[in-house]
């Protein structure tokens, strides 16, 4: 299970650093990261 937790933390870090513009979306509005 530790490997899955580490992977989840890594993916969450990538998502937190990524902006909507990076993924081709328009900027503005609220970002939801859960």
């Amino acid at each position: 299970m530790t490997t899955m937790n580490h992977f989840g933390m890594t993916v969450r870090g990538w998502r937190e650093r990524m902006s909507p513009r990076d993924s081709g979306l328009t900027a503005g509005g609220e970002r939801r990261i859960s």
Side-chain angles (χ1 to χ4, degrees), residues 13-29:
W14 290 336
R15 288 190 313 187
E16 289 173 349
R17 289 188 301 268
M18 195 170 172
S19 73
R21 186 174 293 169
D22 293 336
S23 60
L25 299 173
T26 57

